[in-house]
Amino acid sequence: MSIAVVGSANMDLVVRQPRPVRPGETMSGTDFSTGAGGKGLNQAVACARAGGRVQFIGAVGADDFGARLEATLRAEGVDVSLLRCVAAPTGIAAITVTDDGENSIVVVPGANADAEFSDADLAAIRSASHLVVQLERPVDLLVQTMRAAREAGTTTVLTPAPVRTDLDDLVALSDVLVPNEGEAMQLSGAPDAEQAAIALSGLAGTVVVTLGARGALVARGGAIVARVAPRFVQPVDTTAAGDTFVGVMVAWLAAGEPWEAALEAATVAASLAVTRRGAAESMPRHDDIVHVLR
Ligand code: ADP
Ligand code: NA
């Protein structure tokens, strides 16, 4: 079954540096690189590499970055026939990665702010088995797409990032909600991940809270129903760990695999991604995941 991703595509501009910079400070970085990114593109690539048939619904500018992002998606086997080219510049993310593997990010949305929703987009969402969205596109657009998916019986999967507080509509439209620990606590107001998962599962369908190096937990109908054991690795770059997790989870669910298998595969895939530098290019392929699972 096909998977529709409505999301952002950004050019990542990545600086590696020893530690976070202080206000007013000038510091020497150790490396600069550019790469395809954006939560939507990342999830689409993770999903396609894991074997999913993916349609990317997004927008880029008529510039070199946009052309490169489109080429990247195409090379990953993602359907880009609904990728719009708009007047605004392609979105960028200025990312700094410190020597301990943590990252901080400033996003300039540009073309991702485009809010058009065409009949062709609607048809793709209706015919997909899963709709995957994050919050780097206009919320009104996302509400519209989630409603369309719900009406058509397409399973909706929301990553509430970057998190904000006015998300009641989107959370209620989520069959699967996948926040990280911080997002889950912010969305629910609960003091820890477990209570947050329980609270959110009263509003959405299945809630999967990712816990970084501590794995993930799953809540449904007001109770914790599963815990996913972490894979122990030495992280090199945690960029897109969560996006890898979501993309792979959906690829496996769309292939008809049971929840437990999808969560295990997602955990393995995310742990592989954090041992490599970069966002989309650090994501494992189906065979890499299966190799570790065996
Ligand atoms: P996000 O990247 O959205 O902040 P998390 O940090 O919770 O999300 O990471 C998502 C998933 O990536 C985790 O559930 C886990 O499977 C994997 N992961 C993240 N960091 C590590 C790590 N240091 N070691 C092993 N796995 C990790
Ligand atoms: Na990575």
Side-chain angles (χ1 to χ4, degrees):
M1 295 290 277
S2 77
I3 298 151
V5 177
V6 173
S8 57
N10 290 327
M11 186 55 68
D12 287 351
L13 311 173
V14 186
V15 172
R16 296 192 72 90
Q17 60 194 52
R19 57 172 173 78
V21 68
R22 285 188 297 267
E25 180 186 11
T26 298
M27 177 194 285
S28 285
T30 52
D31 186 64
F32 174 70
S33 61
T34 59
K39 298 192 76 66
L41 181 146
N42 287 344
Q43 293 190 351
V45 170
C47 196
R49 286 194 176 186
R53 197 153 65 79
V54 184
Q55 168 91 249
F56 184 76
I57 303 175
V60 294
D63 47 32
D64 290 351
F65 285 166
R68 213 175 125 192
L69 297 180
E70 178 172 353
T72 298
L73 285 163
R74 224 186 265 283
E76 297 290 348
V78 174
D79 185 332
V80 290
S81 56
L82 296 177
L83 179 67
R84 252 184 288 283
C85 189
V86 301
T90 297
I92 65 99
I95 302 176
T96 57
V97 183
T98 51
D99 282 350
D100 61 5
E102 281 301 325
N103 58 66
S104 56
I105 307 176
V106 177
V107 175
V108 184
N112 294 303
D114 179 69
E116 191 186 327
F117 184 60
S118 72
D119 289 346
D121 296 343
L122 181 63
I125 286 158
R126 284 187 188 283
S127 66
S129 66
H130 292 74
L131 168 68
V132 176
V133 306
Q134 326 75 33
L135 301 177
E136 291 180 343
R137 301 295 308 280
V139 167
D140 289 351
L141 171 71
L142 300 177
V143 170
Q144 211 179 345
T145 58
M146 298 268 280
R147 286 210 178 109
R150 267 287 168 91
E151 280 165 20
T154 302
T155 300
T156 57
V157 182
L158 170 66
T159 300
V163 73
R164 37 195 287 176
T165 47
D166 56 341
L167 295 177
D168 293 359
D169 288 353
L170 284 178
V171 169
L173 286 165
S174 302
D175 295 314
V176 185
L177 181 69
V178 196
N180 67 18
E181 186 170 22
E183 290 152 6
M185 292 192 296
Q186 251 183 276
L187 269 184
S188 63
D192 63 47
E194 196 160 315
Q195 291 181 55
I198 290 168
L200 292 170
S201 73
L203 307 172
T206 299
V207 177
V208 180
V209 180
T210 63
L211 305 171
R214 291 180 291 114
L217 51 84
V218 186
R220 208 174 277 135
I224 303 288
V225 296
R227 287 173 201 280
V228 188
R231 296 273 166 162
F232 294 103
V233 296
Q234 197 59 48
V236 171
D237 178 0
T238 58
T239 309
D243 294 332
T244 304
F245 187 100
V246 173
V248 173
M249 182 187 79
V250 174
W252 283 58
L253 291 175
E257 296 287 342
W259 268 100
E260 306 77 56
L263 292 167
E264 184 73 7
T267 300
V268 164
S271 71
L272 289 171
V274 303
T275 61
R276 305 173 194 165
R277 284 192 185 183
E281 73 267 36
S282 75
M283 291 166 179
R285 297 181 185 282
H286 179 75
D287 290 352
D288 305 324
I289 299 168
V290 170
H291 181 79
V292 176
L293 283 171
R294 284 220 174 99

